[in-house]
Amino acid sequence: MKILVVDDDKDIVELLSIYIKNEGYDVEKAYDGKEALTKLNTNPEIALMILDIMMPNMDGMAVIHEVRKDSQIPILLLSAKTDDLDKIQGLIKGADDYVTKPFNPLEVMARVKSLLRRSQHEVKNNEPDQIEIGPLVIKKDSHEVETVTGKPIQLTALEFGVLYLLASHPNRVFSADEIFERVWQQESVISAKTVMVHVSHLRDKIEEATDGEKVIQTVWGVGYKIEMH
């Protein structure tokens, strides 16, 4: 399994490469956005991308925009910015998670492993293989979602995880912390905004595919749920 590390700071690339290799993964390196896209297009074995936001030639936001046109590869953002808006923008554009610089490489690797687990479709054996709820058909093994009329909905691994969690427990309200811990498979740390952005993006995709159906409901002050009537 190969991980692409993209940052114009070569020291950061080398540092992360050491930790990635120590975990048994292969590494591909890129130092700007355009090079990253070239590496992705020529290396189909790349399973995840660690991506810096601020880079020359093409920044991380532009890279995410291009990648999400035809790929759902997990993307972990590296951000030197402390402004929450920058992190939220990255998530809205399609990143799966972020780490703020300066970072602990062990934390980065924990996030990487979590994202890879989600993308490899690790789910509990007692969960249903297929869920039909409202206007949606959700397929566990293939991580596919489509409308009852057969229109596909392209979701990232984490968006699918959120949807599957809510749909497999209809009428139950999940807090943002609980969603984060169960889908991201990490201890909840400032999780509310991350979950909020993913739920918002998920809603937009569902509503676009279903002519405005409001599948995910917000229970104010508590969390989110999908009702089964």
Side-chain angles (χ1 to χ4, degrees):
M1 188 176 295
K2 186 174 289 187
I3 295 172
L4 174 62
V5 182
V6 189
D7 198 308
D8 60 323
D9 187 328
K10 293 186 177 181
D11 289 339
I12 288 179
V13 173
E14 292 307 314
L15 174 64
L16 289 175
S17 296
I18 291 170
Y19 279 82
I20 290 168
K21 290 176 181 177
N22 284 343
E23 293 292 339
Y25 303 114
D26 294 326
V27 179
E28 194 72 36
K29 305 172 186 178
Y31 303 100
D32 63 53
K34 290 184 178 179
E35 185 181 10
L37 292 178
T38 299
K39 292 290 180 71
L40 276 177
N41 291 333
T42 57
N43 291 271
E45 67 273 24
I46 291 173
L48 179 143
M49 177 166 56
I50 301 174
L51 177 67
D52 186 31
I53 291 180
M54 300 299 293
M55 293 184 297
N57 296 327
M58 177 184 286
D59 67 14
M61 298 297 188
V63 173
I64 296 171
H65 178 75
E66 291 299 317
V67 170
R68 286 294 178 250
K69 288 180 179 178
D70 56 14
S71 173
Q72 299 304 317
I73 183 174
I75 299 174
L76 174 63
L77 279 182
L78 298 179
S79 172
K81 298 183 176 181
T82 57
D83 190 340
D84 284 344
L85 283 177
D86 294 306
K87 301 166 188 174
I88 290 172
Q89 276 290 83
L91 296 174
I92 288 173
K93 286 184 175 293
D96 296 284
D97 202 355
Y98 65 84
V99 175
T100 302
K101 297 178 181 179
F103 55 78
N104 183 332
L106 294 176
E107 179 187 0
V108 174
M109 292 312 304
R111 302 288 183 95
V112 164
K113 291 177 183 178
S114 176
L115 291 174
L116 289 174
R117 282 196 296 269
R118 296 308 311 173
S119 67
Q120 290 168 0
H121 307 170
E122 288 192 3
V123 292
K124 297 177 181 177
N125 291 331
N126 62 347
E127 292 178 335
D129 292 332
Q130 181 169 304
I131 299 172
E132 296 186 20
I133 190 164
L136 303 178
V137 178
I138 305 166
K139 301 176 182 179
K140 179 188 73 174
D141 291 336
S142 61
H143 269 214
E144 293 177 341
V145 180
E146 60 186 34
T147 67
V148 291
T149 59
K151 182 177 182 179
I153 303 175
Q154 298 296 325
L155 303 180
T156 67
L158 287 172
E159 289 166 355
F160 181 90
V162 172
L163 179 62
Y164 189 88
L165 173 65
L166 297 177
S168 59
H169 299 83
N171 304 316
R172 176 179 169 182
V173 181
F174 286 87
S175 69
D177 285 346
E178 189 173 5
I179 292 172
F180 190 87
E181 290 174 357
R182 295 182 66 160
V183 175
W184 275 254
Q185 298 182 5
Q186 300 173 26
E187 183 179 352
S188 175
V189 180
I190 317 178
S191 60
K193 288 182 179 178
T194 299
V195 172
M196 177 186 70
V197 171
H198 280 78
V199 169
S200 176
H201 210 197
L202 179 57
R203 279 174 167 155
D204 289 344
K205 291 181 178 181
I206 293 172
E207 290 178 18
E208 182 180 357
T210 61
D211 295 325
E213 291 271 1
K214 309 228 178 257
V215 174
I216 300 174
Q217 298 184 16
T218 298
V219 180
W220 295 106
V222 184
Y224 304 95
K225 69 175 180 177
I226 294 178
E227 282 194 353
M228 178 178 284
H229 300 287

